[in-house]
Amino acid sequence: MKPALYRALLVVILFFLCVSSKTTVPDRAEDVKDLNPFELLKLGQDVLQLFPHEPQPADVTFYFTSLNLSKPVLTTSTKSMLDASKKTKILIHGWLENHRRSWYQGIADQYLETGDFNIVEVDWETVARMPYIYSAKSVQIVGQWVAQFIEETSLLPGNVHIIGHSLGAHVASFAGKAIFSSTGQKVSRITALDPAGPYFRFPTVKPSERLNQKDAVVVDVIHTDAGFYGLEDPAGTLDIYVNGGGRIQPGCLDFTDHVPESIGDILET
């Protein structure tokens, strides 16, 4: 076995050993210790060498829906359908996912029941299905493409609310950063649903290199798996630790279901 491949396999093994070694659930999110050894960051670079694919703009697609549409449609042919005067909700999935996730439809339906919004569903599946470290290191460029979409469609930052789950929360973060850098204005709100913790909790990762409270006018973070797959430290202007933020949540089918059934009630503001 090639040394690079061997070290890459160690990355995967170490990650799951770190997660599985956590046998108890702390009562408070702040008591959760870092699950990943510092050396994992260095080993993770080997994964990038094994998968040299550079993200391309075509790897990120955008689907649009509104009260006038029965289902989301690709925006490549419908950009003119977005009404820039309306408030816009942009949904961004996490690792290993795509725009067909059921929570996309659930959140879109709940918003459209309360008002006439632009709903944009981001699909970055090609990048999100790569090894975790690769996907995590790619959230910045994906976020920049989301920001580019916002500008190209003439959406007003003050009307934009970005909702990201897991790695998608960090994509939302970089979209917010890019919009502010380009326009001098912040998007109105970023809602981070259980923002991803692995890699982003390393001491070498600065707040400016992940989700933080400066990314939007309001950054609300909903912690439902803090210290395991999700960030445990406060990262927004408002951090909500649902039932203490721990891994076991009422209404979740299993440990991979990080979005509680009541999330619509939290977002309905």
Side-chain angles (χ1 to χ4, degrees):
M1 182 180 293
K2 295 182 179 180
L5 180 58
Y6 177 76
R7 290 194 296 272
L9 289 175
L10 280 179
V11 171
V12 178
I13 293 171
L14 278 172
F15 176 80
F16 284 103
L17 280 177
C18 290
V19 173
S20 62
S21 66
K22 201 72 177 179
T23 56
T24 60
V25 179
D27 293 330
R28 299 184 304 164
E30 58 265 31
D31 291 337
V32 180
K33 295 182 179 179
D34 196 303
L35 297 178
N36 303 282
F38 181 77
E39 291 78 14
L40 186 59
L41 179 61
K42 184 176 180 180
L43 289 173
Q45 306 306 315
D46 290 320
V47 175
L48 301 182
Q49 298 299 321
L50 289 172
F51 297 90
H53 171 74
E54 290 294 330
Q56 302 296 321
D59 293 335
V60 182
T61 53
F62 301 87
Y63 291 79
F64 169 71
T65 190
S66 69
L67 285 174
N68 300 322
L69 295 173
S70 59
K71 63 179 181 179
V73 293
L74 269 172
T75 60
T76 51
S77 59
T78 59
K79 282 185 179 180
S80 61
M81 296 179 66
L82 276 79
D83 185 343
S85 67
K86 294 180 181 179
K87 291 187 176 181
T88 299
K89 309 294 181 179
I90 299 178
L91 313 181
I92 307 177
H93 63 75
W95 189 45
L96 302 179
E97 298 182 335
N98 54 49
H99 86 283
R100 295 182 295 278
R101 292 290 291 178
S102 61
W103 69 268
Y104 266 27
Q105 187 64 49
I107 290 179
D109 288 347
Q110 288 196 41
Y111 271 122
L112 293 176
E113 286 178 3
T114 63
D116 188 8
F117 298 96
N118 294 317
I119 306 291
V120 177
E121 302 178 355
V122 179
D123 192 322
W124 59 294
E125 179 180 14
T126 300
V127 181
R129 284 194 175 275
M130 297 297 285
Y132 180 83
I133 293 294
Y134 175 91
S135 298
K137 296 279 283 187
S138 299
V139 295
Q140 180 173 359
I141 185 63
V142 175
Q144 290 171 350
W145 287 328
V146 173
Q148 181 177 324
F149 171 84
I150 292 172
E151 294 190 62
E152 288 181 350
T153 51
S154 301
L155 296 176
L156 302 176
N159 284 342
V160 173
H161 174 193
I162 309 176
I163 302 167
H165 171 233
S166 185
L167 281 183
H170 297 288
V171 173
S173 163
F174 281 105
K177 289 176 173 64
I179 287 294
F180 181 71
S181 176
S182 176
T183 68
Q185 301 179 63
K186 293 184 177 182
V187 297
S188 66
R189 182 180 177 188
I190 289 176
T191 297
L193 306 177
D194 198 33
Y199 171 73
F200 297 98
R201 62 166 62 98
F202 283 122
T204 54
V205 178
K206 302 174 183 177
S208 61
E209 298 172 334
R210 59 171 173 79
L211 177 74
N212 72 78
Q213 62 182 356
K214 297 181 180 180
D215 294 330
V217 176
V218 174
V219 178
D220 52 307
V221 184
I222 302 171
H223 300 267
T224 54
D225 194 23
F228 289 84
Y229 295 126
L231 281 178
E232 60 269 37
D233 294 332
T237 52
L238 173 66
D239 285 76
I240 301 172
Y241 291 84
V242 180
N243 297 309
R247 156 162 262 202
I248 299 176
Q249 294 289 338
C252 291
L253 299 178
D254 55 49
F255 288 157
T256 64
D257 186 1
H258 299 166
V259 184
E261 292 179 352
S262 61
I263 204 67
D265 296 332
I266 298 175
L267 294 175
E268 198 172 286
T269 60

